[in-house]
Amino acid sequence: MKRFVKSSEVPAYESPTSEHRRFKLFIERDISGTKAVSCGEFILPPKAAQPKAKAFPETEKIFYVLSGRGILAIDGMDHEIEQGMALYVAPGEAHAFANTGSDELRLLW
């Protein structure tokens, strides 16, 4: 069980889709033995967007915008997001991110 994880020691996984989004997984059941939470970083390149919204029926999501700016679409409604904002997505809400800036959009979940 790992209680402490350095971002610099975690590999980034790239999605095999055209928008080249990347993920870093810091805390989750296989790494830290958690039962109900996970934590990681989501990185979306400039001008990229997730291809479709995704819903997690039993999972609440909290995101914090580390850098960049973009759009968070929740159940078809667009919300502008930027560095320093905390975001909440309720269980079952379909959501997707789009990067509207010229820098990477980096989110901690």
Side-chain angles (χ1 to χ4, degrees):
M1 173 170 64
K2 290 183 89 171
R3 291 184 187 271
F4 308 101
V5 179
K6 289 176 108 177
S7 176
S8 61
E9 297 173 354
V10 175
Y13 300 97
E14 186 171 317
S15 174
T17 55
S18 62
E19 78 281 1
H20 303 287
R21 63 183 180 224
R22 299 185 319 274
F23 304 89
K24 284 186 168 191
L25 192 54
F26 303 139
I27 304 288
E28 58 91 41
R29 75 172 175 261
D30 293 334
I31 296 169
S32 302
T34 63
K35 293 179 176 41
V37 297
S38 63
C39 178
E41 186 177 14
F42 174 71
I43 305 155
L44 194 58
K47 307 301 179 195
Q50 289 180 279
K52 64 180 182 174
K54 206 166 191 188
F56 299 88
E58 298 179 18
T59 306
E60 292 179 290
K61 299 276 187 174
I62 296 174
F63 298 91
Y64 181 77
V65 184
L66 297 168
S67 64
R69 59 176 43 271
I71 300 288
L72 168 57
I74 301 176
D75 284 339
M77 291 185 58
D78 289 350
H79 307 273
E80 290 188 21
I81 61 172
E82 62 184 30
Q83 181 177 350
M85 291 179 74
L87 322 167
Y88 172 73
V89 179
E93 288 185 318
H95 59 284
F97 289 96
N99 184 342
T100 59
S102 56
D103 298 317
E104 288 182 328
L105 176 61
R106 300 172 74 94
L107 300 125
L108 180 71
W109 86 81

